[in-house]
Amino acid sequence: MSSDKAILSQFQLENGALLGGPVEIPLIVNIRQLNSVANGLAQAQQTSTDSSEITPYSFYVDDIEIKESLEKYFEEQTNKQVFEKTLNITCVPKARFQVIPVERCTATIEGHLEAITALQFSPNGKLLASGSGDTTVRFWDLNTQTPFDEYGKAHRHWILCLNWAPNGKIVASSCKQGLIGLWVGATGKQCGTKLLSGHRQWINSLSWQPLHLNGSCRLLASGSKDTTIKIWDTHLFKAVLTLSGHTASVTCIKWGGQNLLYSASQDRTIKVWRTTDGVLCRTLDGHAHWVNTLALSTDYVLRTGAYEPSKESSNVDLDNFDDVTLQTMALERYEKVYNLFDANGGERLVSGSDDFTLYLWKPETDKKPLARMTGHQQLINDVKFSPDTRLLASASFDKSIKLWSSRTGAFLSTLRGHVQAVYQIAWSADSRLLVSGSADSTLKVWNIEKRCILFDLPGHADEIYAVDYSPDGQKVASGGKDKSLKLWRR
Amino acid sequence: MPQNEHIELHRKRHGRRFDHYEKQQKKEGRLPHILSKKAQTLRGIKAKLYNKRRQNEKIQMKKTIKSHEEKETKQREEVPEGAVPAYLLDREKQSRAKVLSNTIKQKRKEKAGKWDVPIPKVKAVSEAEVFRVVQSGKRRKKVWKRLVTKPCFVGEGFTRKPPKFERFIRPMALRFTKAHVTHPELRATFQLPIIGVKKNPSSPLYTSLGVITKGTVLEVNVSELGMVTQGGKVVWGKYAQVTNHPENDGCINAVLLV
């Protein structure tokens, strides 16, 4: 291969938009040089405010990644190189910041009297709430690594589900008797005096209305075993709407960014509802057994709301802003992710089921799935989109985690290492690391770029039921059957 | 024993004594003393009867007092042990000891050649029940033909042999093509077409004829359910075992062998 060969290439973004005009590139150019070319083209095109930062890109030609240089890429190709045609290079921006992987357990905190069933970090990563089988909801101070004095005692049965409101102020918790409690995150006190009641059986899943739709975080949706979904007004402590239509237990609900509610159920269907009036939009059929989990491509932005982890260093205190400003900030972040894959935008939904397969849907437009992802040998318990929405990870009871491309549903690789069922997974904020908790009482941190295991974190005495990665990527919290909460840092 | 109501009449007309209510109260006040004297001095069979009656009264009183007390204090109900997260709630988890013994049992069964069927032992159906003799010939003396009296399955494209050579007659009325198959985990029943009869436990002759009785293993077409193998191929045939007596009910109910 002579070193003076060059090829005419056109850089483009994922949704088809072109970055500048065709450029002649010599074949021996490496990734760093390609990066600077792409950055230069991007800056010339837009006058963005953060033009001083360089975005690292990864380059793909026809879905195959260019690892070292164009020369190496062509060597590996068996097709004849056609030098007359323009080569289309797709640039995929990676996260600008890099998360340092967690390595060690910095604290093992006792406090709960029974197994910990639910855990979640607040959207800005500063507070942690956990719910357990001893009916209490506890809040943990991450700086001193001790629990708060006040803790939530109002529930009478096991806590099943916890969810922080996207403004980071309130936590909603649900219990096995079908009651919902609201707590102030900073202090641990209960909001109001009574619990929201209405469901007749336990509540499987909770979901808040996204911040960009309503800055005051008022509406909360809950899906229960009694086959109904209720939408509550948390300021008035009343149920606003009841959505019924499912014929078996509702296992998972997600409030999408376009004011649509997606609900998965044990009756093998997924239903799409309009939350303004409670009308059923469409039913997504296809699974052959219970649908266990749902994941939305915009999950990460909806969870963090107006908080941008990469701007952490600029000392912006979100508490000072009022609801309307927070709403516009959240909307900005949401729009970026929404328009990622297609020109006119679209959310993607993935459903994992007991029939060992996953389906990829575009629920706003189509009734038919985009792709069916098979390969697991046992039921799928947890699915998560990466924060940059390009990858999908699915955890299954067959002890493996599989990675899929979220654009096409193509299988990428399997991560093996656990020796018992994998219960929960969580992505780091830069989408380069994945942490998984399993019934074999270990956590494993996986390097996604190399698709291999990075760290094995043993330490729990019994099964791990809940794992969460803080949205700023600094800490991991895990809790399980051995009643202790562990915090992991680098 | 007053006959007629002259006592009540007098009370209505003239009222009671002036100290009537006071006397009544004082009498009630003396009652505990009288009862206790009675309880202490009674002997014999009368004592036994009295004690028994008194015991029942005391039990009733204690119950009412306790129920009043319960209403006042709010008790916290006992929270059961074994808390599990929401995704494990509808799943029965086997204890670890059981898993080990189960794997050993399964290995032994596989060695012995026994498989897991919902109805392992079925009462064998005799030939006299299944076949009825059909007489043929000019003088109705030949008895080599048999008529099948149980439901059976013949495949698509089945054509009868010429009547002169046909030994087993399967009437069209007893031919079934669909079965009501229940999925054991989903607890839902579907009407699925039968692909074939895999094994009739009573006799291999019945299997070759396609006779369906209770306990027969059928192969059914499950493409309607949408099951997929790990390679991505669609599963379209699965085994199911018949659970009712189809000749009595007129339909075939089966349970899917997952």
Side-chain angles (χ1 to χ4, degrees):
Chain A
M1 187 90 37
S2 55
S3 54
D4 56 353
K5 271 205 174 164
I7 188 165
L8 196 66
S9 3
Q10 168 71 57
F11 286 93
Q12 63 184 35
L13 292 173
E14 275 175 307
N15 54 3
L18 304 174
L19 265 183
V23 184
E24 182 129 345
I25 296 187
L27 286 183
I28 54 168
V29 80
N30 65 11
I31 293 290
R32 247 183 341 116
Q33 290 161 336
L34 272 179
N35 244 309
S36 44
V37 171
N39 268 297
L41 285 172
Q43 279 174 27
Q45 211 173 45
Q46 311 141 342
T47 49
S48 45
T49 49
D50 41 14
S51 54
S52 53
E53 294 176 37
I54 301 177
T55 319
Y57 284 99
S58 53
F59 300 95
Y60 293 84
V61 177
D62 291 339
D63 286 337
I64 304 169
E65 195 174 348
I66 302 177
K67 295 225 166 60
E68 284 172 43
S69 68
L70 281 175
E71 200 173 341
K72 279 265 180 315
Y73 163 75
F74 280 121
E75 264 174 30
E76 284 161 14
Q77 293 293 16
T78 47
N79 303 337
K80 264 184 87 176
Q81 312 117 346
V82 183
F83 286 100
E84 283 86 36
K85 268 190 175 181
T86 320
L87 190 69
N88 277 327
I89 303 182
T90 314
C91 314
V92 171
K94 298 198 273 209
R96 285 203 195 112
F97 57 100
Q98 194 156 33
V99 166
I100 304 170
V102 297
E103 235 174 51
R104 59 198 183 94
C105 176
T106 57
T108 305
I109 324 172
E110 313 280 329
H112 278 294
L113 301 166
E114 281 285 331
I116 296 176
T117 52
L119 258 192
Q120 208 181 26
F121 277 99
S122 70
N124 61 3
K126 297 209 165 53
L127 296 165
L128 175 63
S130 69
S132 120
D134 65 358
T135 78
T136 59
V137 175
R138 276 179 200 258
F139 295 88
W140 310 84
D141 183 358
L142 294 169
N143 294 326
T144 58
Q145 301 185 350
T146 50
F148 281 14
D149 273 340
E150 280 272 345
Y151 61 94
K153 284 176 270 209
H155 282 290
R156 313 304 266 332
H157 214 303
W158 308 339
I159 308 285
L160 290 179
C161 187
L162 265 186
N163 213 313
W164 280 88
N167 65 1
K169 299 211 171 90
I170 302 189
V171 183
S173 63
S174 74
C175 76
K176 195 158 185 282
Q177 278 184 342
L179 304 166
I180 302 175
L182 296 164
W183 318 91
V184 177
T187 56
K189 292 205 172 67
Q190 188 175 0
C191 261
T193 46
K194 53 185 178 118
L195 304 171
L196 299 172
S197 67
H199 278 294
R200 271 174 262 117
Q201 279 182 292
W202 66 78
I203 294 174
N204 274 320
S205 174
L206 289 171
S207 184
W208 286 88
Q209 187 179 33
L211 197 60
H212 67 258
L213 292 172
N214 186 342
S216 56
C217 282
R218 220 174 144 143
L219 295 179
L220 169 70
S222 63
S224 150
K225 180 149 167 76
D226 66 2
T227 78
T228 60
I229 302 158
K230 282 189 196 279
I231 299 183
W232 309 85
D233 184 329
T234 55
H235 289 248
L236 299 174
F237 289 88
K238 265 184 9 169
V240 173
L241 275 180
T242 304
L243 311 173
S244 46
H246 279 294
T247 53
S249 159
V250 178
T251 47
C252 187
I253 54 170
K254 291 266 177 210
W255 201 312
Q258 304 293 102
N259 227 353
L260 291 171
L261 188 71
Y262 309 110
S263 63
S265 153
Q266 279 177 3
D267 64 3
R268 299 153 16 238
T269 61
I270 301 162
K271 289 193 195 274
V272 184
W273 314 81
R274 231 189 357 239
T275 50
T276 43
D277 44 7
V279 167
L280 174 67
C281 288
R282 59 186 70 82
T283 305
L284 308 174
D285 262 317
H287 276 295
H289 210 310
W290 301 347
V291 189
N292 288 329
T293 55
L294 286 178
L296 272 180
S297 59
T298 47
D299 258 342
Y300 181 74
V301 278
L302 292 179
R303 178 187 172 184
T304 48
Y307 173 71
E308 173 70 56
S310 59
K311 294 206 172 64
E312 175 66 16
S313 50
S314 57
N315 286 338
V316 166
D317 191 2
L318 287 177
D319 292 335
N320 298 339
F321 292 119
D322 66 313
D323 290 344
V324 184
T325 331
L326 288 176
Q327 194 171 338
T328 39
M329 284 164 74
L331 186 61
E332 246 182 75
R333 293 190 68 221
Y334 175 73
E335 293 281 311
K336 262 192 248 174
V337 178
Y338 189 68
N339 292 318
L340 208 49
F341 287 134
D342 314 294
N344 26 344
E347 262 177 353
R348 275 157 193 244
L349 180 72
V350 149
S351 55
S353 151
D354 260 26
D355 67 356
F356 314 163
T357 64
L358 301 124
Y359 269 115
L360 183 64
W361 314 85
K362 262 189 100 173
E364 296 157 25
T365 46
D366 292 321
K367 232 163 118 158
K368 296 276 173 207
L370 285 175
R372 187 170 200 176
M373 301 177 264
T374 59
H376 274 297
Q377 283 151 312
Q378 275 288 309
L379 66 95
I380 293 155
N381 205 36
D382 199 12
V383 197
K384 290 255 161 54
F385 268 94
S386 67
D388 64 357
T389 79
R390 287 194 182 91
L391 293 172
L392 248 180
S394 62
S396 153
F397 276 22
D398 70 354
K399 314 168 198 159
S400 73
I401 302 166
K402 287 193 193 278
L403 288 175
W404 317 81
S405 144
S406 59
R407 203 168 56 86
T408 52
F411 169 70
L412 292 175
S413 85
T414 308
L415 304 171
R416 288 190 203 279
H418 280 295
V419 293
Q420 273 188 47
V422 188
Y423 283 155
Q424 298 259 295
I425 46 180
W427 286 90
S428 72
D430 64 347
S431 317
R432 291 193 184 101
L433 299 168
L434 181 71
V435 71
S436 61
S438 136
D440 65 3
S441 75
T442 61
L443 279 165
K444 292 197 196 310
V445 182
W446 310 86
N447 181 335
I448 296 299
E449 289 180 332
K450 299 203 183 74
R451 316 269 166 86
C452 67
I453 186 172
L454 195 55
F455 290 114
D456 189 7
L457 305 171
H460 271 286
D462 211 337
E463 308 189 0
I464 299 176
Y465 285 151
V467 176
D468 197 24
Y469 220 124
S470 74
D472 58 5
Q474 304 238 344
K475 315 171 199 78
V476 171
S478 63
K481 213 165 159 187
D482 62 348
K483 308 171 195 160
S484 66
L485 184 95
K486 281 186 191 282
L487 283 172
W488 311 80
R489 302 185 70 155
R490 64 175 167 102
Chain B
M1 204 77 70
Q3 323 268 352
N4 225 331
E5 287 107 24
H6 54 90
I7 296 180
E8 278 96 46
L9 266 179
H10 179 274
R11 273 198 205 132
K12 279 184 197 168
R13 283 182 190 147
H14 307 287
R16 292 185 190 257
R17 283 175 72 136
F18 294 127
D19 54 1
H20 171 81
Y21 294 104
E22 197 186 325
K23 280 176 82 173
Q24 201 175 43
Q25 261 198 317
K26 293 191 82 144
K27 193 167 186 182
E28 275 170 25
R30 270 177 257 131
L31 203 53
H33 296 285
I34 296 169
L35 283 178
S36 85
K37 184 101 189 273
K38 195 171 167 189
Q40 286 171 29
T41 53
L42 272 178
R43 298 277 178 262
I45 185 72
K46 283 191 186 173
K48 283 187 188 168
L49 290 170
Y50 177 76
N51 287 339
K52 195 169 183 188
R53 207 168 6 123
R54 185 68 185 152
Q55 170 96 339
N56 286 338
E57 275 173 29
K58 280 190 172 175
I59 291 169
Q60 286 306 317
M61 269 200 299
K62 281 187 183 169
K63 277 189 187 170
T64 46
I65 290 170
K66 199 158 186 213
S67 70
H68 286 313
E69 270 178 12
E70 252 183 34
K71 274 190 199 169
E72 283 162 23
T73 59
K74 276 208 171 154
Q75 251 203 335
R76 208 181 169 89
E77 293 119 34
E78 270 299 309
V79 180
E81 264 194 30
V84 271
Y87 52 82
L88 288 177
L89 268 178
D90 278 324
R91 303 188 192 282
E92 296 157 358
K93 275 200 78 184
Q94 278 185 323
S95 71
R96 280 163 216 168
K98 261 228 145 195
V99 172
L100 212 57
S101 81
N102 278 353
T103 44
I104 295 173
K105 281 186 196 165
Q106 197 170 30
K107 279 207 185 118
R108 279 194 208 136
K109 268 200 200 155
E110 273 177 23
K111 263 194 174 174
K114 282 196 193 161
W115 281 272
D116 215 359
V117 204
I119 310 172
K121 283 199 185 141
V122 191
K123 200 167 139 211
V125 186
S126 68
E127 282 214 4
E129 250 187 85
V130 179
F131 299 129
R132 188 186 302 152
V133 178
V134 172
Q135 290 176 321
S136 52
K138 194 173 183 184
R139 292 179 185 83
R140 291 272 171 277
K141 271 173 69 173
K142 299 191 179 179
V143 285
W144 55 272
K145 281 193 175 197
R146 296 284 180 275
L147 179 76
V148 174
T149 59
K150 302 278 182 202
C152 50
F153 174 75
V154 296
E156 254 191 58
F158 168 77
T159 36
R160 297 169 54 191
K161 279 161 72 168
K164 187 165 177 176
F165 303 110
E166 201 178 24
R167 191 164 161 219
F168 293 103
I169 303 172
R170 282 166 280 188
M172 282 176 69
L174 288 175
R175 292 184 203 161
F176 285 88
T177 50
K178 290 203 169 174
H180 303 257
V181 183
T182 310
H183 193 294
E185 283 159 29
L186 285 178
R187 302 226 167 280
T189 310
F190 310 95
Q191 198 183 43
L192 303 173
I194 304 174
I195 299 172
V197 172
K198 174 78 181 162
K199 185 164 174 45
N200 191 315
S202 311
S203 153
L205 172 63
Y206 300 159
T207 311
S208 61
L209 280 178
V211 172
I212 300 176
T213 52
K214 182 170 179 177
T216 311
V217 176
L218 308 167
E219 195 175 352
V220 285
N221 183 341
V222 293
S223 52
E224 204 181 274
L225 298 182
M227 292 193 258
V228 170
T229 62
Q230 43 205 74
K233 302 212 175 88
V234 181
V235 175
W236 71 281
K238 259 191 169 308
Y239 292 135
Q241 193 183 27
V242 178
T243 53
N244 70 332
H245 291 283
E247 66 270 12
N248 296 340
D249 299 329
C251 62
I252 305 176
N253 296 342
V255 70
L256 198 66
L257 303 175
V258 278

